[in-house]
Amino acid sequence: MSQASSSAFNTQRNRYYNPVSRIQSLIQNLDAELITLCKQCSMPKNISNSNSQYDDIISHQAGSPLKHTSLNNILSQARANQATNSSVGLAPDAHKRQLRNTYRTRVIDAYRNRRIFTVYGNYHTVRRALVRRGWLEKLPAGRHAKLQNMSEDSLLEHARRGNDYEAVVISKMINNFPSFFIWQSKAQRDLFPEVKPFRNRVRRSQFLDFSTKVGLVGCAEQERWFREDGVCGMSYPRFYRLGANSMEERAAFIEDYHQTQARCLLRYIKEHRPADMVDMEAGAVLSNTIDFALNKVKAMIRQKEHYSLDDARIKLPTPTEMIENQSFMVQSSKVLHHGSKFKINEKVMAEYSRLAAQYLDQIESLRLDYRWDGCRNLWILKPGYQSRGIGIVIRSSLDDILQWTSNNQNRKYIVQKYIERPFLIYRTKFDIRQYMLLTISDTQVTIWTYRDCYLRFSSQEFTMDDLRESIHLTNNSVQKRYKNKVNRDSRLPKNNMWSLDQFKCHLRHVGAPDGTWAKIYNGFKQNLVAVVLASLDETELVPNAFELYGCDFMLDEHFNPILIEINSTPDLSPSTEVTARICPLALKDCIRVVLDVPRSPLAATGLFERAFQVNYNVHKEMDGTRPLELNGTQMKLLDALPKLRNSPRTRLLRKFLNNVRTSTSSKFVKDKNKNASNTPAKVIVGKVGTKKLTQVGSRMLSANAKTTLNSKARENLALQYTAPK
Ligand SMILES: Nc1ncnc2c1ncn2[C@@H]1O[C@H](COP(=O)(O)OP(=O)(O)OP(=O)(O)O)[C@@H](O)[C@H]1O
C-alpha cells in the first residue's frame, strides 16, 4: 500500500473508530482480561504475525497500557489456548468466561485483519468460502432471528464449535464493527462505504446499466466508439425503445419494419421455386410489389455503402411514400401470410428470384444481423425493466406492436428484432448462460469471463407457426412452468440443460469445424468487453466493488454468438445437476478472484480468466492538466415538419404525420399522443471533458457538433426515455 493510501486508510479507520467509545471500552476490558488470562496460563510466548498496522491502531485508540507486541503475544496465547485447552472440567461460569474471551479475541483479530463479512440471502457457498479463509460473519438481522433475540449468556451456554449459537454470539460481538465484505441485493443500500468493503455491486447510471434491457440498449448505442476487431464488439438484435415515447425512435422503427418486410419478401422469393409462386390467371399480387421490395433493398445497400452522417437523420416519409409503403405492406402480407400468387409468368419470376438472391446476399454481407431474419417480420417486445420472461410477447403486425407498447406505457417496452433463424439442436431452441465477473481495484477495472457455461433448452420443438412462450423463451424461469413435449427428440436432456462438454460433443457430432467452440467463446468475450467499455463512462469506479453477471447468448446458424441480455442477479440455485455443479463452482471461483488475487496476483482464479483490463487511473493522472474537450452543436434528429396548408390533401398529410403509424390492413389507428410530431427534437446542451461523442436516443451527434452531452444531460435524457423499475 502506498504511503498516501495507507494514511488515507488510517484516517478512515480513525474516523470510524474514535467516536465509538463502546469499542474502546470493549478493548480495554479485553486487554485487562487477557493479562489475567496470560498470567494464569504458563504457555510459551509466540510472536504473532498479525497486521501491525491494525495493532497500532487498536493499542493507540484504546489507550492500552500494553505495547502492541505484548498484546500480540497475549492474543496468540489465547488462540493457542483455544486450540489446545479443552473447557471440559471448568465450572460453567468459568467456561463461559473463557469462551467469551476466545470469541472476543477472534473478533478483534478479524477486525484488525479486515475479515468481517455479511452475506444477505442464501449464498452459503460464499459464506463457506469466506469462513474457510478465516473471516467472521456478521449476520444480517433476519438470519437466525430467534437466536439473535437471546442474551449473550444463554448463547454462550449452548455455543459449540461451528454451531448456530456460536455464529450468533460472535455476530453479536462483532455488531459494532463494519463489514469488509458484503454480498447484498442490488436494491439494498450500500452499507459501510467508508471502509471500502468488497461489495458485489457495481453501480452505474440507469442509461447505461446493461443489466436492464433499456440500459443494454444504451450500451449498444455507445459501443461503436470502442469497437475493435477481434477484441471488442457487440452483436445483438436491433431494437427500439418504443416505451420511451420518442417520435424519432418510433419513426425509425416504422421505417425498419417496412425495410424488413421488403427483405422478407425477397427471402420468400429466394426460398421458393418460381413455378410455385406464380399464377397468370388467378394471381392476386402484381409484379410492382416485387419491384418495390427490390428498390427498397437497393436503396439500403446504397445507403450502407455510402453512409454519411446525413443518413443518421430520420426523414419522415412523404405522403406519396406513405401510400406506397401502405400498399406494399398490404400486397406483401398477402404473399407472406396467405401464400397468394404473383400474376406474372414463370420466366419473369425466375429473373426476380435471381435478383432477390443477389440483393439479399449483398445487404446481408453489409449487415450481419439481417441474416437472422426470416420471412415473418417477427419482433419480440420486452418490458424495459423486468426479468424472468414477465410481459414478453412476440408480434408480427405493425399495428399490434404499436398498440401493445402504447397500451403498456408504464412498462417502458423495448421492441427487438426476433431471431427467426437461430442455431437449433434437434429442432429445439436453446440459449447459453455465460458468467462474467467485473472487479474494480484502485487503478483497474478487470473483466473476467468464465471458461464453463451451460445450455438451456425450450421444452417444445421450435416452430414459427406458434408464438407461445413455451416454444420461444428458453430461460429457465419460463421453461420450468412447462412439461416437455412428448414428441421431442429423445436425445434432448429431460431437465432441459446441457453442460459445456455435452455441447462440445454435439458440435463434433454435427460436424462443426474444429475450433468452433473457441470461436464462440471468443465472441462472448468480445461482446462482454464491448458492453462493459461502453458503460464505463457512467460507472462508479469504487475500489473493491465487484459484480457477477449471468449473460445470455444465442447462436445464429453460423455459430456466431448473439447477446440477448445480462442479469445482475443470476439464478445460482442448483435446479438441475448441471447447475448444481457449475453454480457453486462459479461462486467459489468468484471469491478466489475477488479476495485472493488482490493479495497475490498469481493466486488461482479457477475457471475465471481475465478477458480485458482497463487502467482507469489514466484519467486521474491527467489531474492538473486541462482535460480533453470536445465542442459542437447537436445535429437535428428530425427534419422540421413541412408547413402545411389547410387543404384536404394537407389534412390527410397532417393525419399521417400525427399518426406516423401505418397498417398492413390499410387502417389508421388514432395516436393518443397527437401533438407529439409537432414537438421539435430536443437540443440538449452541455460540456463534456474526456468524453467521446455521445448519442441522443438512437441517433448520433454530428462530428462537427458544438455541444455534446455531459453525464447530467445524459442522465436527464435517460430519465426522459425511461423510468426506474
Ligand atoms: N431477440 C430475440 N430473438 C429470439 N429470442 C429471444 C430474443 N430475445 C429473447 N429471446 C428469448 O427469450 C428469452 C427471454 O428473454 P430475456 O432474457 O431478454 O428476458 P428476461 O425476462 O430478462 O429473462 P431472464 O431474466 O429470465 O433472463 C431468452 O432466453 C431467449 O430464449
Side-chain angles (χ1 to χ4, degrees), residues 328-347:
F328 169 71
M329 292 305 295
V330 175
Q331 296 302 315
S332 57
S333 296
K334 283 187 197 163
V335 178
L336 295 172
H337 301 148
H338 309 294
S340 297
K341 308 267 172 168
F342 291 105
K343 202 176 179 65
I344 43 179
N345 69 36
E346 197 182 328
K347 210 167 154 206

Side-chain angles (χ1 to χ4, degrees), residues 213 237 380 382 386-390 392 416-419 429-431 433 456 472-477 552 554 564-565 567:
K213 295 182 181 66
I380 185 165
K382 308 179 184 178
Q386 263 167 337
S387 57
R388 289 178 282 123
I390 297 166
I392 295 185
Q416 190 176 49
K417 184 67 193 78
Y418 187 73
I419 300 162
K429 185 172 165 177
F430 68 95
D431 68 8
R433 169 53 63 91
R456 307 177 303 177
H472 296 274
L473 308 192
T474 51
N475 43 338
N476 194 32
S477 33
D552 299 340
M554 286 175 65
I564 298 295
E565 80 144 355
N567 294 285

Side-chain angles (χ1 to χ4, degrees), residues 123 126 181-188 190 197-206 208-212 434-441 444-450 528 531-532 535-536 538-551 566-572 586-587 589-595 608-609 611-612 725:
Y123 293 91
V126 176
F181 179 105
I182 304 172
W183 190 280
Q184 63 177 65
S185 72
K186 195 175 178 182
Q188 229 166 321
D190 288 352
F198 291 102
R199 190 193 309 283
N200 69 327
R201 295 294 160 196
V202 176
R203 312 279 181 193
R204 50 182 73 79
S205 83
Q206 64 171 3
L208 293 179
D209 181 2
F210 52 74
S211 64
T212 66
Q434 166 74 44
Y435 294 112
M436 167 178 71
L437 175 65
L438 203 63
T439 56
I440 302 178
S441 72
Q444 281 168 336
V445 176
T446 310
I447 303 162
W448 305 78
T449 48
Y450 207 55
L528 298 177
V531 171
V532 173
S535 70
L536 225 49
E538 304 273 325
T539 302
E540 289 175 23
L541 299 173
V542 179
N544 295 337
F546 68 96
E547 193 152 6
L548 179 67
Y549 300 95
C551 314
I566 300 180
N567 294 285
S568 61
T569 311
D571 181 5
L572 292 160
L587 273 174
D589 291 344
C590 166
I591 301 300
R592 283 175 159 174
V593 172
V594 172
L595 293 184
F608 274 111
E609 64 173 0
F612 203 82
K725 208 189 282 189

